[in-house]
Amino acid sequence: SLQQPEGDQLPRYVRVNTLKTTVEDAIDYFKREGFSYLGQAYRLDDLNLKGKSFVGDLHLSDLLVFSPKTDFHDHNLYKAGHIILQDKASCLPAYLLNPPTGSHVLDACAAPGNKTSHLAAIMKNKGRLFAFDLDAKRLSTMSTLLLRAGVTCQQLANQDFLKVDPDGPQYKDVEYILLDPSCSGSGMVCLRDEVSPSQKEQDKRRLQALAAFQLHCLNHALRFPRLQRLVYSTCSIHTEENEQVVAACLLQNPGFRLVPLLQQWPERGLAPLTKCLRASTTKTLTHGFFVALLERHTAQRLEEQ
Ligand code: SAM
């Protein structure tokens, strides 16, 4: 029953902001509005919904799933910051990084901040969340969004992440980094178009430039002295920006290795990087996406003590 869904046929995902409410309260609110809750999804096909029915997601516990036609941009819960309208795939990075309460976390390319607010929810607003973005306008959108979401543990900076000093004393306890750098956006289904051959040549050069930037960011992030875990993600379907960037980074940083992710997830990174995850309209009913989780080798951690 799974055909190639277009962007407007993908399920609508609603992340419940646990800084402001609970999944149970959000479900009750939607039920009172006439939506019918079908319970927790068990198979991918359970996410193919019609009309006013909705389910709990089968992988992510804070996520509710509605039919493709649903639009909550004017909804009270959205305006009050109780729910975040975020594609399921883009909920993976913060969920997989899973920073503990009280930890020091860095979000390198953070605006407009949906993943930052997700990190804050996982940290229960306890600890420190350093968030950077180069673009002042996107950063100001982000502070509005974080305010609405009730995030209070963040420190925003309009700064080039590549110029942030990993040895700065304020970062000495940073153990978790989320790196979601600029990418081609080729996984966003609404952006996909037919392209001419000359366009293709230009795209190839653009991809090379993006991949070089992404690798640079990744290498820079691994220089933070206390870093234990890093999530790298893109909304690209190109291996040049995904597996190839991660493979090059691992070669250059032998002190880090990949962590195998969610065995029950239906789509893996391209071989040999099958510890990573991919997402797509056909296999996961989301936009195209890529996630890798790197961790420092335990052996090296011991040597350093
Ligand atoms: N993580 C964000 C979220 O979930 O809402 C989306 C991030 S978007 C894919 C990439 C961001 O990186 C853009 O906002 C862009 O302005 C920012 N960026 C690009 N180059 C940067 C740099 N050198 N340092 C910091 N941010 C940068």
Side-chain angles (χ1 to χ4, degrees):
S1 65
L2 293 180
Q3 293 153 356
Q4 291 267 104
E6 297 293 323
D8 61 358
Q9 289 160 20
L10 286 174
R12 288 288 181 259
Y13 296 98
V14 166
R15 179 167 65 78
V16 176
N17 178 13
T18 53
L19 290 177
K20 289 221 159 176
T21 185
T22 63
V23 175
E24 292 69 35
D25 284 355
I27 290 173
D28 284 344
Y29 195 102
F30 287 118
K31 288 208 290 208
R32 282 198 301 274
E33 285 187 328
F35 286 92
S36 62
Y37 180 58
L38 306 182
Q40 201 70 27
Y42 285 104
R43 304 164 301 147
L44 193 64
D45 200 37
D46 294 342
L47 307 187
N48 284 314
L49 296 154
K50 288 213 171 62
K52 293 198 88 177
S53 50
F54 71 111
V55 295
D57 184 59
L58 70 163
H59 299 104
L60 304 177
S61 59
D62 295 345
L63 212 59
L64 300 174
V65 191
F66 292 80
S67 77
K69 296 279 184 291
T70 323
D71 185 357
F72 286 137
H73 283 93
D74 290 322
H75 197 274
N76 283 335
L77 291 185
Y78 175 65
K79 290 185 195 159
H82 287 214
I83 60 170
I84 314 282
L85 307 179
Q86 187 174 358
D87 184 54
K88 175 174 173 174
S90 89
C91 295
L92 288 170
Y95 171 79
L96 295 170
L97 189 61
N98 196 22
T101 300
S103 56
H104 289 198
V105 182
L106 190 152
D107 191 346
C109 298
N114 278 335
K115 298 183 189 77
T116 318
S117 98
H118 194 186
L119 287 169
I122 293 166
M123 296 159 71
K124 303 193 166 71
N125 256 339
K126 296 195 179 79
R128 266 195 215 159
L129 184 43
F130 301 98
F132 301 96
D133 205 282
L134 198 51
D135 185 324
K137 208 168 155 227
R138 285 169 69 94
L139 204 70
S140 95
T141 306
M142 172 161 173
S143 28
T144 311
L145 190 145
L146 295 184
L147 186 69
R148 192 171 58 195
V151 175
T152 54
C153 60
Q154 80 279 25
Q155 255 172 259
L156 300 193
N158 183 197
Q159 209 176 325
D160 181 346
F161 171 63
L162 294 172
K163 299 207 173 110
V164 175
D165 176 12
D167 295 314
Q170 65 273 50
Y171 310 124
K172 69 174 176 24
D173 294 321
V174 169
E175 292 184 300
Y176 299 87
I177 295 184
L178 192 151
L179 174 62
D180 184 44
S182 299
C183 71
S184 62
S186 56
M188 305 301 292
V189 273
C190 45
L191 295 181
R192 269 185 231 160
D193 276 324
E194 290 300 314
V195 288
S196 64
S198 71
Q199 183 67 42
K200 271 189 187 151
E201 195 48 46
Q202 213 181 320
D203 284 354
K204 211 172 128 192
R205 281 199 297 274
R206 181 167 166 252
L207 270 190
Q208 284 166 353
L210 282 165
F213 165 72
Q214 291 150 354
L215 180 58
H216 197 169
C217 286
L218 202 40
N219 282 333
H220 189 69
L222 297 188
R223 289 180 46 209
F224 283 74
R226 290 286 302 275
L227 178 71
Q228 299 304 330
R229 286 158 81 88
L230 174 144
V231 162
Y232 173 77
S233 62
T234 73
C235 59
S236 165
I237 53 170
H238 290 107
T239 183
E240 291 90 334
E241 299 178 272
N242 298 331
E243 291 87 353
Q244 289 182 25
V245 168
V246 171
C249 169
L250 288 169
L251 275 178
Q252 293 168 25
N253 298 274
F256 286 85
R257 66 179 164 211
L258 284 174
V259 180
L261 296 175
L262 294 179
Q263 282 321 299
Q264 65 277 29
W265 188 261
E267 190 171 8
R268 316 303 308 179
L270 302 183
L273 270 70
T274 53
K275 289 175 178 162
C276 307
L277 302 182
R278 273 182 171 252
S280 64
T281 53
T282 46
K283 296 205 177 109
T284 59
L285 297 175
T286 65
H287 289 281
F289 208 79
F290 174 84
V291 198
L293 175 61
L294 278 68
E295 72 173 2
R296 198 186 287 277
H297 283 294
T298 316
Q300 179 166 343
R301 230 184 277 167
L302 291 175
E303 275 160 29
E304 279 170 2
Q305 279 170 2

